[in-house]
Amino acid sequence: MTEKIYRVNMTTLTASAEDVPQEWKTLGGRALTSTVVAKEVKPGCHPLGKYNKLVFAPGMLSGTACANSGRLSAGGKSPLTGTIKESNAGGTSSQCLARLGVKAIIIEGLPQKDAFYSMHLDKNGITIAEETELIGKGNYEVITAVRKRRGDKVGVLSIGPAGEMKMPLANISVRDPEGNMRSHGRGGLGALMGSKKIKYISIDDAGAPGVAIAEPEKFKEASRVFAKCLLDHPVTGQGLKTYGTNILVNILHEAGGLPTENFRTGRFDGHDKISGETMHDTIVERSGKPSHGCHAGCIIQCSQVYNDKKGAYLTSGFEYETIWGFGADCCIEDLDLIAQADHLMDDIGIDSIETAVTVSIAMEAGIIAFGDGPGTLRLIKEIGSGSHLGRLLGAGTAAVGKAYGLSRVPVVKGQAIPAYDPRSVKGMGITYATSTMGADHTAGYSTATNILKVGGFVDPLKKEGQVELSRNLQIATALIDSTGLCLFVAFAVLDKPEAFTAIVDMVNAKYGTSITGDDGIALGKSVLKLERGFNMEAGFNSTHDRLPEFFEELCPPHNTVWDFTDKEIDSFWDF
Amino acid sequence: MNITVKLFASFRTGRFGEKNFDCPEACRISYVLQELGISESEVGVLLVNGRHGDVDYSLAPDDTLSIFPLIGGG
C-alpha cells in the first residue's frame, strides 16, 4: 500500500493527497512532524497566524501488531512557548491513521469566514464541513456526538472551549477506546487547532488497507521479543499496571524532590493522601479499574478509571503530574477534588500540567489561597467560561506571573516546570533547561536514573553525570517519540538491550531497511538538532536554556540549590 | 537502636506502611530486609533519610529507611 501525505488547506477548505517524498519515507511521529515544521513553517511566524501549520503523524510502528505502538505525534510552532513543539498522545487515532496509509496530515492556512469546521478522514480521503452544533461544547459531549454521527469505533481528535478561544494552555484531546480522553497536552497545540477553526477531526478506518510490512515473519519475531521484554520487566510488566504513574508521589516525597507550595520545599505533608497506593485502594473500593490501556495493544496499562464516591465514572488517565500539580504544588490533600479537576480540564481541553502550575501561581498571586480546593475548581471553570480572569489564567503560568509582578514563576521558555524539583533531581533540571520544547519532563526523563535506579544510577543531588545523562535520554526519547512507541517502554529498554534491538529489527522488517542501533541514535540526534535549529531561527539562544533564578534558593530537606554554570548547561549541545 | 521503616507499593501488602523498628547498633540495611522477609532482588530503591543507599549501608539511630520495589512512572 502506498502511504500518502494529506495536505489540508483551511483557506480554500480543500484537501489533497500527496506522494511521500523519498527522504520522509522511513520517518514517523516526532521525526516527521518536526521535519515538516522545520521545512515548511517560518520560524518567526505568529503561532496563530496563517503561516503556522498543524501536523499530525502516526509513529513508524503505529498500526502494526507491535505492543504499545499507538502514539500519535502532533507538531507545529507552539502558541505557548514560540518554540517548535511535538506533543504525543495515546488514544485510537494513531492506529486508525496508520491503517489508512496516512503518513501525516499537514493543516495549513486560515479560514476566511468566521466559522468552525469539522474534518472527516476515511478510505476515500478527507472531507471538510462547517460545524455549528458542537461549537462551545466540551470534549466529552463532542466525542459522544461524533460517535453517534460517525459510528462507535471512529477515532476523534478534538478541542474544547479553551482551544476555540485559542488559549495558550489549550490541548488537543484524543479519544481512547472507551470514549474518554487522552491529550496532546503541552505547548498549546489546541490553540493552534482553534486558529485553524477545526473543532474536531474524525477518523474512520473501516475498509482500510492496513500497514504494509516488508518482512512479516521478521516483524512478528521481533515484536514477540519486544512484548516479552515489556512483560518481564517489573516496571512495565507489573508496577505501572497496578499503581499507575501516581506511584511516584511517595518516592519523590521521600527523596525530597516533590515540589511543594510553588516549589518552596521538596516534601508535602499530605503526600500519603494523594499517593498511588491510596489511589489504587480507592479505585478498587469504588469498583473502578486500576489498570487500563490508552490504546489497543497496550500491555503496560498505566491508565485507570477513577470513580467517585458513588461509584460513577469521574476520570481516567489520571496521572502523577496532574496529581502532583494540584496536590503538592497547590497544597490540596484531596484526591477526589483533584479527580474532579482532571475531569473538568479534559472537558474544557486544557493541559493539566500547565493548568496546575498556573493555579499555583494564582495562589502565589493571592487570587486564592494555597490549599483552596473549591477555589481551584472555580478557577478552572473560569478558564472554560472565557471570563476575563479565565482568559488571563488560560494564557498560562508565565503570563499570570507577569501580570501579577511575580518572579517565583517556574517556567522555561514559557512552559511550566513539572513534578520534579530541579535542585534535588538535578538531571531533570538539565532536561528542563535544554529541551527544545520548554520545560518538559518527558523530553529526557532523568528521574529514571536519578531516583528510580532504572538504567543505572546517577546521584540526583550532585551535578556529576547529569548533562550526559540528560543528553543520552533526550536523544533516545527523540527516537522513541518517532516510532510511535509509548515512552514507558524506555523503562524496559534502559535495562534490557534486547528490547532496543527488537525495536530496530521491527523498523527494518517494516520498511525493508537495514538500519543499525547507531543509525537510530543518529536519527534521535538529528531530530534534536533540527528542532534547536528552528528555535534559534525563531529567536531563541543559549540564554533561554536557563532555569528561573529562584532555584538558587535552598530546597529543603536536602537544602540543595541549582548550581550549574551556563557553560556546563551549554555543553549539553556538544554532540 | 530504633529506626523508622517505611514501605511502599507492593511491599505494604501483608506488612505495614510505616513502623518503628528495633535493630542492632550499626546494622546494615540487608538485616532489616531479612527481618521483613523482603529479598534483595525485589528491591528497587532504598532511601536513608531521603538519600539513596544500598543493602550494605550501616544504619544509625533514628534513621528513616524507605524501601521501594522497582517502580516507574512519569
Side-chain angles (χ1 to χ4, degrees), chain A residues 234-235 240 243 245 247-248 250-251 254-255 267 272 277 321 420 441 445 450-453 457 461 488 491 558, chain B residues 6-13 44-47 49-54 64 66 68-74:
Chain A
V235 173
L240 282 165
Y243 296 104
T245 60
I247 193 65
L248 293 177
N250 277 338
I251 196 166
E254 292 297 317
R267 281 188 175 158
D272 222 22
E277 288 90 340
E321 281 73 17
Y420 314 84
H441 65 290
Y445 195 62
N450 277 176
I451 300 291
L452 307 172
K453 285 196 161 179
F457 177 62
L461 302 173
F488 290 164
F491 287 111
H558 299 304
Chain B
K6 293 182 176 180
L7 300 179
F8 297 93
S10 55
F11 287 164
R12 287 186 179 178
T13 309
V45 174
L46 297 166
L47 297 174
N49 306 323
R51 289 172 187 261
H52 288 77
D54 58 33
T64 296
S66 312
F68 301 83
L70 202 57
I71 57 172

Side-chain angles (χ1 to χ4, degrees), chain A residues 261-299:
Chain A
E261 199 186 350
N262 191 23
F263 289 79
R264 281 190 169 73
T265 80
R267 281 188 175 158
F268 177 48
D269 287 343
H271 65 99
D272 222 22
K273 291 185 187 159
I274 60 164
S275 70
E277 288 90 340
T278 300
M279 183 164 126
H280 172 266
D281 294 347
T282 307
I283 289 172
V284 171
E285 263 169 40
R286 297 176 184 176
S287 307
K289 288 186 197 168
S291 318
H292 170 254
C294 73
H295 62 275
C298 166
I299 55 181

